[in-house]
Amino acid sequence: MDNLDRLLALMTGDEKHSRASYSTLDVIQVLYERVLDVSPDIVDDPGRDRFLLSKGHGPMAYYAVLCDRGFFPESWLPTWGTFDSPLGHHPDRNLVPGVEISSGSLGHGLPLGVGVALGLRGQGLSSRVVVLVGDAELDEGSNHEALELAAALGLDALTAVVIDNRSTSYAVPGRIAERFATEGWQGTTVDGRDHDALEKALAERGVGAPRAVVATVLDEEELAA
Amino acid sequence: MTTTTLIRDPRTQFARTATHLLEDDLSTMLVLAEISARFFEDAIRDHPGRVVNVGIREQLLVNVGAGLALTGLRPMVHTFGTFLVERAFEQIKLGFAHQGVGGVLVGGGGSFDASLSGRTHQAPGDVALMDTLPDVVIHAPGTAAETDEVLRRAVAADGLHYVRVVEQTNSETFAGPGQHVVRRGSGATVIAFGPVLDEVLAATGDRDVTVLYAHNVRPFDTATFRALLSTPDVVLVEPWLAGTSARVVSDALRDVPHRLLSLGTRRMELRHYGTPVEHQRAHGLDPAGIRRSLESFLDG
């Protein structure tokens, strides 16, 4: 059992819980281990890279990775969700070191990310801003306001990573990548479980345009089908 | 510091002061959503990286402001109050308040500047809605000079501020936050918030009442109010939804048996056009309307 599995088990109390049940785990792990320039000792550094978890539902994978990277102690995990725990079922940036935005209500992360990218650009900082959204989260129209403006302003510091586990009710195959491309984003679609492919896709910064990485993550049933 | 020449129109004044703040303070940025962009042509030209027009995208307008604040900047965020506060309220609640970052939201139009435009462009509920959030500082400047002062103070401060900029004005400017004592009397206390003071003064005439005025709507200056209270009869006059400030008066007088009359815009839809003055009259906020309400409340 690797350390992330062990940390997840501290929250679930279930050692048999497969990591395949966490659609965001691989992407977040690759970002923090291989891509982003952020760590507990630069958590307040204006020049750090930012990861914004927009899809705040099911934050166990996020908590496990942050804990593994040393942002907060392991002793926080078993009591998550209890009254005095800093770890809620949606993350709160005011309570958890390393959490950049408090999320849970869908459709806020990408617009906030546009603001963060503009603020960094306005201060001459070249940090990257990576926003994780879910495919069903893109139902929210607020994302499309952000998507259009980010491209119009050429926000190349911004990367949207879309976890596509086909959870939207009205999925159209290929639509997510097409929509980003139509608006002028650069991007690619990768296997959301393949760490090397994710690293390659996420390490690349857009050139004069924001970048979208669609990470396809099918659960075990879908894979078997 | 860039000196700001004062003019009469609060909205033009807002644009001028905001432009000067952009010049003087590198921690500021301005976010617009088309509305009022024509007032900011100089700022857009001189500070292209620090003025962002997001287009007709109000949810994005507010969250871009919040995102700027997350990087340590002090954003000024502006459109009509109805689109800023009502359409994008969750963005204010979560983007600013829940994230724990501050900014200066400037809502134009108020309750009936857009008298010709109907309900779609009117926000009588903006102050009440903002007042549901913790620790919001709410300003309703009554003159262009107060608009200048309030905006500078809000930008220099921390936390979330809402500045309500409307075309209606008072004749006199009062500097500084808190309750200003306009007139001392031995009877009831009449509190005027924002640009209703001229009407309140005309309506109270030579009545023996105390008239207080504040453009700083929240936090409420309880200390001055209590210190000046004579008879425990209180009349609130505010040019937005009637009763919006009733709770702060009740809180301030929780240990004092008192009577309270809350005047403001009526809850029902007017469905009339015409001029702001006609709307003011329809809501009973003209001098004659306020006088009638005072007589009925105080003289019974």
Side-chain angles (χ1 to χ4, degrees), chain A residues 112, chain B residues 61-67 69 75 77 90-105 133 159-160:
Chain A
L112 284 169
Chain B
L61 167 81
V62 175
N63 265 343
V64 162
V77 178
E90 196 195 47
Q91 277 72 14
I92 299 175
K93 172 191 158 191
L94 299 180
F96 282 98
H98 181 51
Q99 304 301 326
V101 295
V104 181
L105 309 180
L133 299 173
L160 182 57

Side-chain angles (χ1 to χ4, degrees), chain A:
Chain A
M1 183 157 86
D2 77 9
N3 197 46
L4 286 176
D5 289 333
R6 193 179 61 78
L7 296 174
L8 285 163
L10 289 176
M11 281 177 277
T12 60
D14 172 11
E15 292 185 6
K16 293 191 193 97
H17 220 66
S18 158
R19 62 185 292 148
S21 57
Y22 303 99
S23 64
T24 59
L25 181 62
D26 296 281
V27 165
I28 298 174
Q29 182 182 2
V30 167
L31 282 169
Y32 276 88
E33 290 183 3
R34 306 191 193 180
V35 177
L36 296 176
D37 182 17
V38 63
S39 58
D41 48 315
I42 57 165
V43 77
D44 293 318
D45 186 330
R48 71 188 183 280
D49 286 340
R50 268 73 162 179
F51 171 68
L52 277 58
L53 180 74
S54 183
K55 190 186 91 75
H57 302 333
M60 280 184 289
Y62 186 35
Y63 290 153
V65 172
L66 287 178
C67 182
D68 180 55
R69 305 300 291 172
F71 285 92
F72 59 81
E74 201 173 303
S75 60
W76 288 15
L77 294 176
T79 55
W80 84 301
T82 57
F83 189 79
D84 288 317
S85 172
L87 307 178
H89 285 205
H90 300 117
D92 186 336
R93 67 181 292 276
N94 295 280
L95 299 177
V96 190
V99 167
E100 297 285 356
I101 59 164
S102 308
S103 55
S105 179
L106 297 174
H108 288 271
L110 206 48
L112 284 169
V114 170
V116 171
L118 282 165
L120 295 171
R121 183 199 260 185
Q123 296 173 78
L125 296 166
S126 60
S127 315
R128 291 187 62 189
V129 181
V130 177
V131 184
L132 186 154
V133 297
D135 67 302
E137 184 181 10
L138 290 176
D139 290 359
E140 295 283 3
S142 55
N143 290 299
H144 302 285
E145 295 187 5
L147 211 143
E148 291 161 5
L149 187 74
L153 299 182
L155 290 181
D156 52 15
L158 183 66
T159 295
V161 49
V162 184
I163 303 292
D164 183 6
N165 58 353
R166 300 195 188 159
S167 54
T168 180
S169 290
Y170 304 101
V172 175
R175 180 172 64 183
I176 296 170
E178 277 171 28
R179 178 169 282 158
F180 278 95
T182 297
E183 298 296 348
W185 289 53
Q186 297 159 1
T188 185
T189 299
V190 295
D191 175 353
R193 298 293 187 197
D194 180 336
H195 286 204
D196 290 337
L198 283 170
E199 180 186 2
K200 186 166 177 291
L202 291 166
E204 199 175 322
R205 185 185 172 122
V207 180
R211 186 165 164 77
V213 174
V214 180
T216 307
V217 179
L218 301 181
D219 64 23
E220 285 157 334
E221 271 177 34
E222 288 167 304
L223 286 171

